[in-house]
Amino acid sequence: MTARPLRILFATPRFYPAQGGVENHVYQVARRLAQQGHEPVVYTTDDDGALAPHDSVEGVRIRRFRAYPARSDLFLSPQLHAAIQAEGAHFDLLHVQNYLTLVSPAAMHGAKRARLPYVVTFHGGGHSQSWRSSVRGLQGRVLRPLLLHADRLIATARFEVDYYSQRLKLPRDKFAYVSNGCDIAVRTVDVPLADPPLIVSIGRLEKFKGHHRVLKAFPALLTQEPRARLLLLGDGPFRHELEAMARGLGVADKVVIGGLPLAERQRMAETLSSASLVTLMSEFETQPMAALEAIALGRPVLVADTSGLSELAQHGYAHAVPLDAQPDTLAGAMIALMRAPKSRQAIQLPTWDECTEGLIALYRDVLARNKTRGSA
């Protein structure tokens, strides 16, 4: 018997055309669900009303709800909460993405009131504002009752299972591991190294992603590699500060700042393949897929010795330096890695197809368990 299509509702703070790791995760999974005949719908927010409230992309329906305050990443959206509570019966399951914003408790509470099963993917990360990072413990304790009510908690990196089960005092058997995917490594990419040499710093343009650390080290690097160029590959609210910093350091003519649309994966592959060095000096990453993609493309990668980035170095896939390394020290590490003999790493990355299949299996398991409990 053919299993019927699933009606999956995703709740996420931002979505296409916004860029970032969570946005890409939902985009990649939701469009694959649509391709397989399922019915994915994305509820997301818009903090300035600039985007259409009803939209679609590649078979995925999108509803955008106003979020407050404007131009903030708190994403307070009473309308999203009300819609999930009122319309939950139209869906089989809610998948909450990113526990760090106010979308998460609003979505979980709305689903609970609608008796809609829900699962949560943490997508943990750092934050550009120190006070937001300092209240994570309190935030976790407030969310804990809603997380306990979730049918499954999904980790995209293995260390998250221990990290969140201990930090939030959640039972380990509530967790499932479903890796993010990668669609760059499966493509054939034969691009020569850029000349003059190109350094790519990857990640959304948020302060915690560490682009400014690479930028501050760049003048010292230029004393040894005067022809080098730097690409800060991403988009986000820290862009203007980075542009001003590049001007203040006198290197604006050698620095390009900007991202690529999520759909342009071949251009991303070509850009990374042409780099003499790829860096990610972020404060916190769970599963840094952009770094893994660069490694799979044979690029040397330099990361901060933190969180999921440390795992890359421990496996020998990347080189790590302390997060608080001084600019001269960071520049020295960058130069050494650029000049080191290059050898392609043997690394097998999961695909987005595998990620999607893993989530479908999880969704069906959750629904079957709920059906069994309902008939008991």
Side-chain angles (χ1 to χ4, degrees), residues 188-224:
T188 301
V189 180
D190 186 15
V191 177
L193 291 180
D195 186 23
L198 176 66
I199 300 163
V200 178
S201 178
I202 51 176
R204 180 170 166 77
L205 302 184
E206 298 266 9
K207 187 174 182 180
F208 79 90
K209 288 290 188 178
H211 293 289
H212 63 289
R213 297 183 175 93
V214 178
L215 186 53
K216 287 179 180 179
F218 191 50
L221 181 143
L222 288 173
T223 64
Q224 300 295 317

Side-chain angles (χ1 to χ4, degrees), residues 11-15 22-23 43-46 75 97-98 101 103-104:
T12 185
R14 284 184 291 245
F15 187 56
V22 180
E23 294 87 338
Y43 281 9
T44 189
T45 67
D46 181 7
F75 302 105
Q97 305 280 344
N98 190 342
T101 77
V103 166
S104 172

